[in-house]
Amino acid sequence: MIEESSKSGKSLVEKRQLFMEMRAQNFDVIRLSTYRTACKLRFVQKRCNLHLVDVWNMIEAFRDNGLNTLEHQAEISVSRLETILSSIYYQLNKRLPTTHQINVEQSIGLLLNFMVATYDSEGRGKLTVFAMKSMLATMCGGKIVDKLRYIFSQISDSSGTMLFPKFDHFLREVLKLPTAVFEGPSFGYTEHSVRTCFPQQKKIQLNTFLDVLTADPPPQCLVWLPLMHRLAHVENVFHPVECSYCHSESMMGFRYRCQQCHGYQLCQSCFWRGHANGPHSNQHQMKEHSSWKSPAKKLSHAISRSLGCVPIGEPPQPTFPEVSERPPDLAPTTLLRPVSNMNVLMASAAHTPADSVLESPSRLDEEHRLIARYAARLAAEASNSTQCPPTDLGFSFDANKQQRQLIAELENKNREILQEIQRLRLEHEQASQPTPEKAQQNPTLLAELRLLRHRKDELERRMSALQESRRELMVQLEGLMRLLKDEEQKQSAQSGSPHSSPSHSASCSMPMPIRSTSAGSTPTHTPQDCLAGVGGDVLDAFSQGVPRNLRNDLLVAADSITNTMSSLVKELHSVDDRLEEEEENLRNGRDKAVTE
């Protein structure tokens, strides 16, 4: 009896371990329920190592364990849930380096106990498939847009329209997470939760769903979800600003600036706890900052914008195609991760849009029919390519040769810029070496030298800003190289199979999802967005297929950076000459005083 009671007590302690550790963090002192809930769920996410599992790995784990073939209302036992979690964490350890391995058994135990306590409060030993999918897709790592797209695929019909009963079911399951961390009074489920998200909408498509849930502010019942993702992004953000209450010299995480009190800023710890002093009051409006922009960064951004290396304004959220825009002969498929597996090869062979709506609940026989359709199409294309010889290969080869020459010229320019930057860095290091005579200089000359050094530091910051603009240019050149390779492959494919549909070749590119900053309408997103920031002339030149305009525009951008670097070198030389003159005057004055 004593041994059984000790074992039961030990198991109870293991089940409550995560909640006891969460209480030890003292999150309850946070006065705002939104931040309190987001901090608690972020702690659970990190403690269970779910932040290391990307949403695409989670979707792949669902498919590997056969969950996509089960109905949402189907129930799975706790032992099978443990098996699924084991496969997720063991696959995670295979992807992680050996120096960053996690304790798999501990992570499985903590997450399993948390899920059972959240979704099996009656102790039946079973969970529904939809509850497990909703919880893991919400708490795993990755972008919030990707998570919402997967969730939409689970609550929509075959035509891409959201089903309100399924969305209500999703809210019922996902709002059990705040209740599990003792925040049910603030974010618990109610019968009016659905209408608070979509009060007047009748037909909800994917883009409308994303606009509503990523709006600022989001729906009240889900306001903690985007905040939890913002917390993950700012955990290591450093602000070199003093807190006006605790007077710490720097901040980590969020920074809050008062809109009424001039220069009054609080760290996230003081703001969350409601601290205030002086004329400031908690009733004042505060603005949340998730990054620190120094004067050097502002100068770098201005130079980059003047050179046309960055676009003006925030990038809009892309418009994802609805189900009706897909080719009519294709069955719904899962949005694939950018990894080299058989699913990716099948999707690329059929030219399926990679940013189409995620998979609706489908069956294994549909996937088999889809694979058979892919194989038949590949066989037909192979037979057509043997019968129809290419006719315009000479033209395509000449165009590709000119494009490669242009890329080689730009790479040479890049190497010259790198050599110039290295030379300037060596000169700056030599000029910043201290000399013994500086300790005996008079205050006036010391002040002048400090001003010169300050000017020199400003020029160094400008040089770093130009280097940053060069990096951005290289990133855009890499995007251009990828587009050129895609164009070469498309031309070879068209020359090999002239009977292929042009709609298939137009759907090969995958626009990256970008989080929207407003709840307004979402503009369309085309494959030419990979050239965003290079300039409208280059975009026109690429769309018209004229290599001469593309080469000239890119060379103009490279020459602009080179000229700016030359002017910076001249200013640095002038500052060094002034420093040498001041030091020479000091030595002459000291020698004259010694002789007298």
Side-chain angles (χ1 to χ4, degrees):
M1 293 294 293
I2 298 176
E3 292 180 357
E4 291 179 358
S5 62
S6 63
K7 289 181 179 179
S8 62
K10 185 177 180 180
S11 62
L12 181 61
V13 170
E14 291 178 353
K15 290 180 180 179
R16 305 297 298 176
Q17 178 183 355
L18 183 62
F19 296 98
M20 291 188 294
E21 292 180 2
M22 184 179 66
R23 287 186 181 276
Q25 298 295 321
N26 200 19
F27 290 122
D28 291 330
V29 299
I30 301 176
R31 64 187 182 96
L32 299 176
S33 60
T34 303
Y35 287 96
R36 188 169 60 246
T37 305
C39 289
K40 289 180 179 180
L41 292 177
R42 175 62 178 168
F43 172 79
V44 173
Q45 183 189 44
K46 294 181 66 177
R47 190 66 182 85
C48 298
N49 291 312
L50 278 175
H51 66 294
L52 302 176
V53 184
D54 191 77
V55 61
W56 305 118
N57 301 123
M58 194 65 71
I59 297 174
E60 185 177 359
F62 293 161
R63 295 177 62 86
D64 292 341
N65 289 275
L67 298 180
N68 60 319
T69 61
L70 299 177
E71 295 290 342
H72 284 174
Q73 300 300 330
E75 293 183 340
I76 59 175
S77 62
V78 176
S79 59
R80 185 177 180 185
L81 175 61
E82 186 176 2
T83 303
I84 296 172
L85 297 181
S86 301
S87 66
I88 292 173
Y89 282 115
Y90 279 112
Q91 290 296 327
L92 172 63
N93 254 357
K94 291 180 181 179
R95 295 190 297 269
L96 293 176
T98 56
T99 56
H100 294 77
Q101 297 289 301
I102 64 172
N103 189 340
V104 175
E105 298 298 331
Q106 184 183 28
S107 301
I108 294 173
L110 291 174
L111 182 56
L112 181 64
N113 291 328
F114 178 76
M115 294 182 68
V116 170
T118 303
Y119 294 102
D120 188 26
S121 58
E122 299 177 357
R124 298 185 301 109
K126 292 184 178 180
L127 282 75
T128 63
V129 172
F130 187 69
M132 188 197 67
K133 284 185 176 181
S134 301
M135 186 272 176
L136 293 178
T138 304
M139 295 295 292
C140 68
K143 298 180 180 179
I144 186 174
V145 175
D146 297 335
K147 296 181 181 181
L148 293 177
R149 292 172 64 196
Y150 174 72
I151 291 169
F152 184 83
S153 71
Q154 302 298 304
I155 61 176
S156 60
D157 57 12
S158 58
S159 63
T161 302
M162 188 187 76
L163 301 175
F164 278 92
K166 289 189 176 182
F167 180 67
D168 181 77
H169 189 194
F170 164 72
L171 288 182
R172 190 186 300 271
E173 300 296 341
V174 80
L175 291 180
K176 289 181 181 179
L177 294 174
T179 305
V181 294
F182 314 107
E183 296 296 334
S186 300
F187 299 104
Y189 171 80
T190 62
E191 296 180 356
H192 305 288
S193 298
V194 176
R195 288 304 170 188
T196 59
C197 299
F198 302 98
Q200 299 177 354
Q201 301 288 342
K202 296 182 179 180
K203 186 177 181 181
I204 307 300
Q205 301 289 336
L206 171 62
N207 294 295
T208 305
F209 180 78
L210 295 178
D211 290 339
V212 171
L213 295 189
T214 58
D216 189 14
Q220 181 61 31
C221 60
L222 295 174
V223 68
W224 52 269
L225 181 58
L227 179 58
M228 185 179 70
H229 288 78
R230 296 207 307 272
L231 280 174
H233 293 158
V234 302
E235 283 181 347
N236 298 320
V237 174
F238 176 77
H239 304 268
V241 181
E242 181 182 0
C243 178
S244 299
Y245 183 84
C246 64
H247 300 290
S248 61
E249 296 182 356
S250 60
M251 305 179 190
M252 293 293 292
F254 286 118
R255 174 171 55 92
Y256 298 89
R257 177 188 290 273
C258 182
Q259 299 297 97
Q260 299 182 21
C261 305
H262 178 70
Y264 193 89
Q265 301 187 82
L266 292 176
C267 61
Q268 67 178 17
S269 178
C270 294
F271 176 76
W272 290 353
R273 287 159 175 78
H275 294 162
N277 58 352
H280 178 70
S281 171
N282 287 331
Q283 305 300 323
H284 291 181
Q285 184 179 3
M286 303 289 288
K287 184 177 181 180
E288 182 183 276
H289 295 273
S290 58
S291 63
W292 163 256
K293 292 183 179 179
S294 62
K297 286 186 178 180
K298 293 179 181 179
L299 178 61
S300 171
H301 184 74
I303 293 176
S304 301
R305 188 165 56 182
S306 64
L307 294 175
C309 296
V310 294
I312 300 176
E314 294 291 336
Q317 177 177 307
T319 300
F320 298 101
E322 310 294 347
V323 174
S324 58
E325 297 180 5
R326 292 183 296 180
D329 60 337
L330 297 181
T333 58
T334 303
L335 179 61
L336 300 172
R337 296 188 302 109
V339 297
S340 57
N341 53 24
M342 184 59 66
N343 291 334
V344 176
L345 293 177
M346 289 298 181
S348 61
H351 302 288
T352 305
D355 273 322
S356 60
V357 179
L358 292 173
E359 169 188 40
S360 299
S362 58
R363 298 295 175 266
L364 196 59
D365 54 352
E366 295 180 357
E367 297 180 0
H368 290 169
R369 288 197 299 269
L370 181 62
I371 293 174
R373 192 177 297 115
Y374 290 157
R377 178 171 298 173
L378 288 175
E381 291 180 357
S383 61
N384 290 335
S385 62
T386 57
Q387 297 175 1
C388 301
T391 57
D392 57 343
L393 288 180
F395 175 76
S396 62
F397 287 158
D398 293 340
N400 293 333
K401 183 178 180 181
Q402 294 177 0
Q403 292 167 357
R404 282 192 286 269
Q405 290 177 354
L406 174 61
I407 293 173
E409 293 176 0
L410 292 175
E411 289 179 348
N412 293 332
K413 289 284 185 180
N414 178 43
R415 283 192 291 269
E416 294 176 0
I417 293 174
L418 284 175
Q419 294 175 359
E420 186 69 16
I421 291 174
Q422 184 65 24
R423 187 182 65 81
L424 290 174
R425 185 179 290 111
L426 293 175
E427 291 181 358
H428 294 162
E429 292 177 355
Q430 295 174 359
S432 61
Q433 294 293 332
T435 57
E437 295 87 359
K438 292 183 180 180
Q440 303 177 358
Q441 295 171 353
N442 57 53
T444 304
L445 294 178
L446 284 174
E448 293 180 358
L449 288 176
R450 278 195 293 269
L451 291 176
L452 290 175
R453 291 194 190 97
H454 181 68
R455 176 61 177 168
K456 188 176 181 180
D457 293 338
E458 291 182 352
L459 294 176
E460 289 178 354
R461 287 194 292 270
R462 287 187 58 191
M463 184 182 68
S464 64
L466 291 175
Q467 189 174 3
E468 183 67 20
S469 66
R470 183 194 60 78
R471 289 197 203 98
E472 295 175 355
L473 180 59
M474 286 303 303
V475 170
Q476 294 170 3
L477 288 177
E478 291 176 359
L480 177 60
M481 292 177 66
R482 288 195 296 269
L483 287 176
L484 294 178
K485 291 180 181 179
D486 293 341
E487 182 185 7
E488 181 179 359
Q489 295 176 359
K490 182 170 63 176
Q491 290 178 357
S492 61
Q494 290 178 353
S495 62
S497 57
H499 299 289
S500 61
S501 174
S503 62
H504 292 167
S505 61
S507 62
C508 293
S509 62
M510 174 179 177
M512 298 299 294
I514 303 174
R515 180 177 180 270
S516 176
T517 57
S518 63
S521 60
T522 308
T524 57
H525 189 78
T526 61
Q528 282 76 10
D529 288 342
C530 296
L531 296 174
V534 179
D537 296 336
V538 179
L539 185 61
D540 295 339
F542 185 80
S543 62
Q544 295 174 2
V546 183
R548 183 184 306 169
N549 295 336
L550 178 62
R551 180 174 63 254
N552 292 337
D553 294 334
L554 291 175
L555 290 178
V556 167
D559 290 338
S560 300
I561 294 179
T562 306
N563 295 334
T564 308
M565 292 293 296
S566 301
S567 63
L568 178 60
V569 170
K570 292 179 182 178
E571 291 190 28
L572 286 174
H573 282 312
S574 64
V575 170
D576 291 337
D577 294 338
R578 292 178 61 186
L579 282 172
E580 291 177 0
E581 291 177 3
E582 292 291 338
E583 292 176 356
E584 184 66 22
N585 293 334
L586 285 175
R587 286 195 294 269
N588 293 337
R590 187 169 58 254
D591 294 338
K592 184 176 181 181
V594 171
T595 54
E596 290 178 356

